[in-house]
Amino acid sequence: MNKKQKKMLIRIAITAVMLIALAFLPLTGIWRLLAYVAAYLVIGYDILRKAGIGIIHGRAFDECFLMAIATLGAFFLAVWTKSGDYVEGISVMLFYQIGELFQSYAVGKSRRNISALMDIRPDYANIEKDGKLEQVDPDEVAVGSIIVVQPGEKVPLDGVVVSGNSTLNTSALTGESLPRDVAEGNEIISGCINMSGVLKIRTTKAFGESTVSKILDLVENASSRKSRSEAFISRFARIYTPAVCIGAVLLGVAVPLLRMAFGADAQWVDWVYRALTFLVVSCPCALVISIPLSFFAGIGGASKEGILIKGSNYLEALAATKVVVFDKTGTLTQGVFEVTAVHHNELDADKVLEYAALAECASSHPISKSLQKAYGKPIDRSRVTNVEEISGHGITATVDGHSVAAGNAKLMKKLGIEYHDCHCVGTIIHMAVDGAYAGHIVISDIVKPHSAEAIARLKKSGVSKTVMLTGDARRVAEQVAGELGVDEVRSELLPGDKVAEVEKLLAEKSPKTNLAFVGDGINDAPVLTRADIGIAMGAMGSDAAIEAADVVLMDDDPLQIAKAIRISRKCIGIVRQNIVFSLIVKFACLALTAAGITNMWAAIFADVGVMILAVLNAIRALRVHNL
């Protein structure tokens, strides 16, 4: 409990003790009234103050106003009838405050779950001066500075490791407990915790532009984007509260006057009491509190799993997703090209790979890097001369005095070398040495380990169609789609074509369902923006992802997509349960009160009881780990 909650608990305890004591003290007349007024002020002074401030600022019709009028009216009735029964008004306020304390505790619990994510905020950065470490505010560290991160400390800024190696705990960012190894030359993002060695990092971004800063800003502002359900509750409260106040006036004044007009006993005390009870029952606390709390809890629970949802409107949109469109490279595949096969003639496979790696050593293309990685030995560039890159074809070079050509089928045709087609799926690098065909190397983009399972889980979650968009050749695209179980594949697309394909899919789907596009967030920003909901994969450190997407997954595991949809559907289910349950009970109690069947005790138990049940239900949205 925080300080404010403890103070309220003390007030509740004092009021309860005073009520018990007053039940046994032989007080009468004005002294009895003053004693009960004192007990009432102990528990209700803040409600009276808020009601007064609301009236002054033109916001009279809220729950504080309703509670103040109802409880003060109960005191008035006790004085009017000279019954001396002041317990009812105080008890109504007491139970209301107990409900408010419970609600405050529930919201605090939800906030503490998001606070686990907020723990990634760094307190300081270490800068080395004159052989000593000096702690400075991360905001004061300039781009290009060298900072030192010791074991157990948070990485305060994005950068590149210039010395040292260590293991990082990234669970606050990704929701996964698996550590990540880093060494000299590796990029590193803020928010991770250094677990072992000392690291020296050259910063690449100012603190305001760093990953941790953008994530914190995203989560802190998530509540500003309201869902349709929350907007409905706000509109409902603006109409409902004045309406029930008018209804209470009609019960307490119009009905007795009507009875008098027909010659019957007005029964003012009975009807005014009903009107006051009607006001207590009418408080829309369960709706006003539990609906935003459900969304807050859903967003908080998702954040703990490394799924950042930018607002409750996006959580609601995600729940209605029936079509999921994927970018291929970096989303369903690793986006890292690897040598998967070497087919050779006279030369052995290792020699073919060696010639290819040396010939491509001057290139920074991903294919060149994959060849060098597969070769696995240091590249001696002195062995390579006469390198010539032929655009759209490949490379020719002299390696150890031998003429080497590495490229596609066009290069072989250009050089007049007879080559063999390959039926493997992937990029084919044909090799020729001293004018003779030496074989070919197959390079493929590796499918992520969980991609097939992710597609299966999406279908199990109720997604009716999965589509893959890619710029790859049709044969490669269909091979990957078949392996993963994707329903449709659209290949050989330029970046601009992806937006057009998403437009077509949006036109085909049902108006009541949503289309989600999943991309790497770097070059897919236009498509992420155009879809009903954009989901960025593998967004650790990607500014474009955080800016363009509505949902950001802090690791590159496609299984998180299905989990995000399940979290959203659980949350929306809880919201609907609370709306239906609260409205049914509320209107039933209002009808019973108007008929004179319930008294104020029953009214407050109904009001506080429904609120507590709705809040308990809302808290379930936090439990998302096993979804």
Side-chain angles (χ1 to χ4, degrees):
M1 281 190 175
N2 58 33
K3 187 176 180 181
K4 185 177 179 181
Q5 290 167 345
K6 288 178 181 177
K7 186 177 177 181
M8 175 55 71
L9 186 61
I10 291 170
R11 286 171 56 195
I12 289 170
I14 291 172
T15 305
V17 170
M18 289 179 73
L19 285 177
I20 294 170
L22 287 171
F24 294 99
L25 290 175
L27 296 176
T28 58
I30 189 67
W31 295 110
R32 179 178 174 82
L33 174 61
L34 290 175
Y36 277 101
V37 166
Y40 177 80
L41 291 176
V42 169
I43 194 62
Y45 72 86
D46 55 332
I47 300 298
L48 297 177
R49 181 173 57 82
K50 289 176 184 176
I53 293 171
I55 293 170
I56 292 169
H57 291 90
R59 298 189 303 271
F61 296 111
D62 61 10
E63 64 268 21
C64 292
F65 172 79
L66 297 177
M67 290 306 302
I69 293 296
T71 52
L72 288 174
F75 262 94
F76 171 76
L77 282 178
V79 174
W80 185 16
T81 59
K82 298 180 182 180
S83 66
D85 185 10
Y86 308 113
V87 176
E88 196 169 50
I90 300 172
S91 298
V92 166
M93 186 64 78
L94 177 64
F95 285 116
Y96 176 76
Q97 293 284 38
I98 290 172
E100 287 291 293
L101 175 63
F102 184 84
Q103 174 259 329
S104 173
Y105 179 78
V107 171
K109 181 177 175 62
S110 180
R111 288 189 182 278
R112 284 193 296 276
N113 279 273
I114 287 189
S115 293
L117 178 71
M118 295 307 176
D119 283 344
I120 64 177
R121 187 189 298 277
D123 301 316
Y124 59 86
N126 294 319
I127 291 183
E128 193 170 359
K129 288 186 178 179
D130 301 324
K132 295 182 179 179
L133 292 183
E134 181 180 328
Q135 292 184 356
V136 300
D137 192 305
D139 275 322
E140 298 175 3
V141 179
V143 175
S145 301
I146 303 296
I147 60 173
V148 179
V149 183
Q150 300 183 96
E153 292 183 333
K154 298 176 188 129
V155 177
L157 296 149
D158 295 4
V160 177
V161 178
V162 294
S163 72
N165 55 74
S166 183
T167 302
L168 300 179
N169 180 349
T170 64
S171 59
L173 295 174
T174 66
E176 295 296 329
S177 58
L178 287 176
R180 174 188 167 200
D181 294 327
V182 292
E184 186 177 336
N186 291 151
E187 290 187 1
I188 191 169
I189 63 171
S190 49
C192 303
I193 297 175
N194 184 17
M195 296 173 64
S196 51
V198 177
L199 296 174
K200 288 190 176 181
I201 301 167
R202 178 181 290 105
T203 61
T204 55
K205 294 178 183 175
F207 179 70
E209 296 299 317
S210 65
T211 300
V212 66
S213 182
K214 286 184 178 290
I215 292 170
L216 291 172
D217 181 65
L218 185 157
V219 176
E220 288 165 352
N221 292 317
S223 60
S224 66
R225 299 176 176 93
K226 301 296 183 184
S227 66
R228 285 179 297 175
S229 299
E230 288 175 295
F232 161 74
I233 294 304
S234 298
R235 292 195 303 273
F236 174 82
R238 283 198 297 268
I239 297 169
Y240 168 82
T241 308
V244 295
C245 287
I246 293 170
V249 171
L250 292 175
L251 271 177
V253 179
V255 173
L257 289 175
L258 200 62
R259 289 175 63 87
M260 289 174 64
F262 283 95
D265 184 4
Q267 297 181 346
W268 284 99
V269 172
D270 179 44
W271 286 102
V272 170
Y273 181 83
R274 288 193 200 186
L276 294 173
T277 306
F278 192 86
L279 286 176
V280 174
V281 174
S282 68
C283 284
C285 300
L287 282 176
V288 173
I289 291 168
S290 68
I291 305 309
L293 179 61
S294 299
F295 282 110
F296 190 80
I299 291 171
S303 297
K304 285 190 69 179
E305 297 297 307
I307 302 167
L308 305 184
I309 301 172
K310 288 187 176 181
S312 54
N313 56 332
Y314 300 122
L315 192 72
E316 194 169 50
L318 194 60
T321 299
K322 290 293 184 181
V323 180
V324 179
V325 182
F326 295 90
D327 174 54
K328 173 183 157 289
T329 306
T331 303
L332 295 174
T333 63
Q334 295 179 6
V336 178
F337 292 92
E338 292 186 4
V339 172
T340 54
V342 179
H343 300 158
H344 55 95
N345 290 337
E346 299 298 327
L347 295 175
D348 62 33
D350 290 340
K351 200 65 179 176
V352 170
L353 194 56
E354 181 181 3
Y355 278 135
L358 288 165
E360 294 270 4
C361 69
S363 173
S364 60
H365 192 277
I367 288 177
S368 171
K369 291 182 178 179
S370 65
L371 289 169
Q372 294 173 41
K373 181 181 177 182
Y375 175 50
K377 297 178 183 177
I379 299 293
D380 182 0
R381 296 199 178 194
S382 64
R383 298 169 58 189
V384 186
T385 57
N386 303 322
V387 177
E388 181 184 357
E389 185 169 350
I390 304 172
S391 180
H393 291 71
I395 286 177
T396 61
T398 301
V399 179
D400 296 336
H402 297 281
S403 174
V404 175
N408 55 27
K410 293 178 184 178
L411 180 63
M412 296 296 107
K413 290 177 182 177
K414 183 179 178 67
L415 298 177
I417 297 171
E418 187 177 344
Y419 64 94
H420 303 300
D421 284 326
C422 181
H423 298 288
C424 295
V425 176
T427 301
I428 310 300
I429 305 297
H430 293 283
M431 294 293 301
V433 179
D434 293 329
Y437 189 65
H440 50 259
I441 300 168
V442 183
I443 298 177
S444 303
D445 187 4
I446 306 302
V447 171
K448 289 180 180 177
H450 295 149
S451 290
E453 185 183 353
I455 300 296
R457 287 196 185 183
L458 282 172
K459 292 179 179 179
K460 190 176 179 181
S461 299
V463 172
S464 58
K465 182 192 286 188
T466 54
V467 183
M468 187 178 78
L469 306 181
T470 179
D472 286 351
R474 182 178 177 181
R475 187 180 62 171
V476 175
E478 289 180 348
Q479 162 85 15
V480 174
E483 183 180 341
L484 299 180
V486 176
D487 297 322
E488 292 183 18
V489 58
R490 304 187 183 186
S491 56
E492 300 178 0
L493 302 174
L494 297 172
D497 296 335
K498 291 182 181 179
V499 177
E501 292 298 327
V502 167
E503 293 277 5
K504 292 177 186 175
L505 289 164
L506 285 168
E508 293 170 5
K509 73 176 181 63
S510 166
K512 294 183 179 180
T513 62
N514 286 334
L515 178 146
F517 178 80
V518 188
D520 60 17
I522 298 171
N523 53 9
D524 293 318
V527 202
L528 286 166
T529 305
R530 181 61 193 92
D532 292 321
I533 187 159
I535 304 174
M537 288 281 295
M540 292 180 67
S542 170
D543 293 340
I546 294 176
E547 294 298 331
D550 306 315
V551 178
V552 180
L553 309 182
M554 294 310 295
D555 62 13
D556 63 352
D557 189 348
L559 286 174
Q560 292 288 74
I561 305 166
K563 174 171 271 192
I565 291 175
R566 289 196 298 274
I567 288 171
S568 67
R569 289 181 178 166
K570 177 180 180 179
C571 182
I572 296 303
I574 289 171
V575 167
R576 288 172 180 163
Q577 290 163 15
N578 281 347
I579 289 174
V580 172
F581 172 69
S582 299
L583 289 179
I584 288 174
V585 174
K586 186 66 63 181
F587 286 122
C589 288
L590 286 172
L592 293 172
T593 301
I597 297 173
T598 58
N599 59 19
M600 199 170 288
W601 285 91
I604 192 60
F605 275 116
D607 181 58
V608 174
V610 170
M611 182 183 72
I612 288 175
L613 289 174
V615 167
L616 284 172
N617 196 34
I619 292 175
R620 290 197 303 116
L622 281 169
R623 299 177 182 175
V624 299
H625 185 67
N626 295 321
L627 286 180

